[in-house]
Amino acid sequence: MTYRIAVIPGDGVGPEVIREGLKVLDSVAEVYNVKFDFRFYPYGGGYYLKTGEVLPDEALKEIGGMDAIYFGAVGHPEVPPGVLERGLLLKLRFYFDQYVNLRPVTLYPGVETPLKGKGSQDINFYVVRENTEDFYVGLGCRFRSDRYKANLNVKRRLYSLRFNVETLADKPEELAYQIGVITRRGAERVIRYAFDFCRRRGLKRVSSVDKANVLSEIYGLWRDVFNEVSKDYPEIETEFTFVDAMAMWFVKNPERFQVVVAPNMFGDILTDLGAIIQGGMGLAPSGNINPEGVSMFEPIHGSAPKYAGKGLANPIAAILAGKLMLEHFGENEAAQAIDNAVKKVLVEGKVRPRDLGGKASTSEVGDAVAEKISKQ
Ligand code: IPM
Ligand code: MN
């Protein structure tokens, strides 16, 4: 089977870690019955600064005909924050309607967690993050009392929440708001994915994250949908946890979790916490999944411009993103081979990435993993 993959290495350390991920995928292709046809795209901060273009529509169309996207990282010190995040990464997620962001939190053997007394048997769960709604929809406004006269009425009403309108005349005030949106359909499809995933993997509990005690409109809907969907999975245990408490439980009792389903922003925040308890950003992969469309696989870490081009970055997160991609294709044997190879390298400890206290360069880690790939 040949898979056509759009490769977008992006900025900073993105290209270095993707290079190693491709190395590992190539060695998988030598041993297992899979082939890859990689097509490279130059998008990212450098390309934007040169051309003024973030992601052209023709590229989106072309990528729409491919089997998956393998993505490095976005973020460039000379590009204002938001331009690339919104214009490239979120654009891809939204355009291809990748409504599931699957983020495994797995402490590999041979890696230390900062959590005292916890080992790889305790930290092994999945966060299913909703990936298209919530506070990521980009609905918001910012007002200054001495501008935007046309919006005076709206402005007055908003100001009356916090400011005395009378005082506005002599002193410009500012106010901004941003709206989170949850739809029944959007919540249902990702919650159903989480339950199906739980069942498919033979796991027994799905934990839902929200903040329905304060943001009761949007997360009230999320809760209702979770309750309804859960009825179709009577064998699966469920629980609701507020996001603040969840942050505590991730640290205190990570062994409790198997599948955690979360709205977009809470999922974003919790998976950075998840990344650190599994040993660091260098080990945390992510899949942006549209089960019926084009999915995208990337490390959770960003472009880390400080470390770019120095061979310091740990490529394991990108390599494990490749593993998630193979699982998504149903190439379970090949995916397992990558996982086993990573485990061997980490347990042996001879070739150890810098962020785990070793001395190996990005490409040495990639070489070591690629070498361990074999028919098992
Ligand atoms: C992530 C990142 C992105 C997000 C940013 C770069 C837009 O933090 O993948 O977790 O917030 O989703
Ligand atoms: Mn994030």
Side-chain angles (χ1 to χ4, degrees):
M1 181 74 189
T2 300
Y3 297 102
R4 294 182 64 211
I5 314 289
V7 183
I8 308 178
D11 302 317
V13 298
E16 302 162 57
V17 298
I18 289 295
R19 192 177 309 128
E20 302 314 311
L22 294 172
K23 193 187 276 174
V24 170
L25 289 171
D26 280 336
S27 67
V28 163
E30 271 171 32
V31 182
Y32 294 87
N33 194 22
V34 286
K35 283 200 174 56
F36 302 104
D37 178 2
F38 296 116
R39 168 110 211 235
F40 291 81
Y41 293 88
Y43 306 116
Y47 185 83
Y48 171 72
L49 291 170
K50 244 191 309 179
T51 64
E53 200 166 41
V54 183
L55 177 63
D57 287 349
E58 308 85 77
L60 281 173
K61 278 207 198 93
E62 198 175 280
I63 294 170
M66 302 196 180
D67 296 303
I69 305 165
Y70 190 40
F71 190 92
V74 275
H76 192 290
E78 284 152 50
V79 179
V83 174
L84 302 166
E85 290 84 347
R86 277 188 186 287
L88 186 54
L89 183 59
L90 297 181
K91 180 86 179 263
L92 285 161
R93 289 180 186 171
F94 285 20
Y95 182 87
F96 292 114
D97 203 16
Q98 294 157 347
Y99 61 85
V100 175
N101 195 322
L102 180 66
R103 299 189 155 182
V105 179
T106 303
L107 179 66
Y108 277 73
V111 178
E112 265 180 42
T113 171
L115 303 187
K116 196 162 154 255
K118 304 290 179 190
S120 70
Q121 69 289 350
D122 302 308
I123 301 179
N124 191 12
F125 61 95
Y126 293 87
V127 178
V128 175
R129 168 186 170 191
E130 199 288 321
N131 212 25
T132 60
E133 301 196 329
D134 202 21
F135 290 97
Y136 278 65
V137 295
L139 267 181
C141 241
R142 201 169 152 169
F143 297 103
R144 241 178 89 151
S145 60
D146 57 341
R147 294 187 195 156
Y148 311 120
K149 296 270 185 282
N151 281 317
L152 207 63
N153 275 340
V154 178
K155 202 171 66 180
R156 282 235 168 83
R157 272 176 41 205
L158 285 167
Y159 275 135
S160 69
L161 294 172
R162 282 189 54 193
F163 306 112
N164 179 349
V165 180
E166 254 74 279
T167 66
L168 295 178
D170 41 280
K171 193 166 150 221
E173 256 303 355
E174 276 194 272
L175 180 150
Y177 66 86
Q178 193 104 31
I179 293 177
V181 175
I182 301 276
T183 65
R184 171 169 285 279
R185 170 178 170 270
E188 186 176 341
R189 60 186 187 172
V190 73
I191 290 168
R192 204 167 276 290
Y193 181 93
F195 277 98
D196 284 337
F197 183 88
C198 186
R199 185 177 267 175
R200 210 164 52 237
R201 300 272 170 137
L203 300 171
K204 65 169 204 275
R205 183 182 306 119
V206 178
S207 314
S208 170
V209 180
D210 66 50
K211 186 74 187 174
N213 49 345
V214 179
L215 304 170
S216 51
E217 310 300 334
I218 58 176
Y219 301 129
L221 175 56
W222 173 272
R223 262 190 190 215
D224 287 351
V225 173
F226 184 89
N227 266 327
E228 285 166 32
V229 171
S230 71
K231 297 208 174 80
D232 294 338
Y233 304 82
E235 82 283 13
I236 295 176
E237 272 176 46
T238 60
E239 63 186 3
F240 290 109
T241 314
F242 295 134
V243 63
D244 46 352
M246 199 55 145
M248 176 192 71
W249 292 120
F250 265 34
V251 173
K252 190 166 185 288
N253 290 121
E255 66 280 1
R256 170 163 192 84
F257 301 111
Q258 302 191 335
V259 178
V260 174
V261 65
N264 206 344
M265 194 168 74
F266 296 152
D268 176 45
I269 298 165
L270 284 175
T271 49
D272 268 29
L273 184 53
I276 196 66
I277 67 174
Q278 68 183 301
M281 279 291 182
L283 295 155
S286 149
N288 302 271
I289 297 172
N290 175 340
E292 295 89 38
V294 180
S295 299
M296 173 164 75
F297 300 85
E298 56 171 338
I300 292 186
H301 64 69
S303 60
K306 265 201 307 209
Y307 303 125
K310 299 184 180 144
L312 298 173
N314 180 353
I316 291 178
I319 291 169
L320 291 174
K323 172 209 154 183
L324 287 179
M325 181 165 74
L326 287 170
E327 266 175 7
H328 173 74
F329 292 148
E331 299 288 355
N332 294 327
E333 209 190 344
Q336 196 54 51
I338 296 184
D339 205 63
N340 293 342
V342 167
K343 277 186 190 145
K344 277 188 200 150
V345 169
L346 289 170
V347 170
E348 273 179 18
K350 273 191 294 195
V351 177
R352 206 155 176 81
R354 310 255 173 166
D355 61 338
L356 301 182
K359 291 207 160 52
S361 69
T362 309
S363 66
E364 283 165 349
V365 177
D367 286 340
V369 176
E371 249 169 54
K372 298 267 189 240
I373 306 273
S374 55
K375 273 255 189 260
Q376 286 141 2

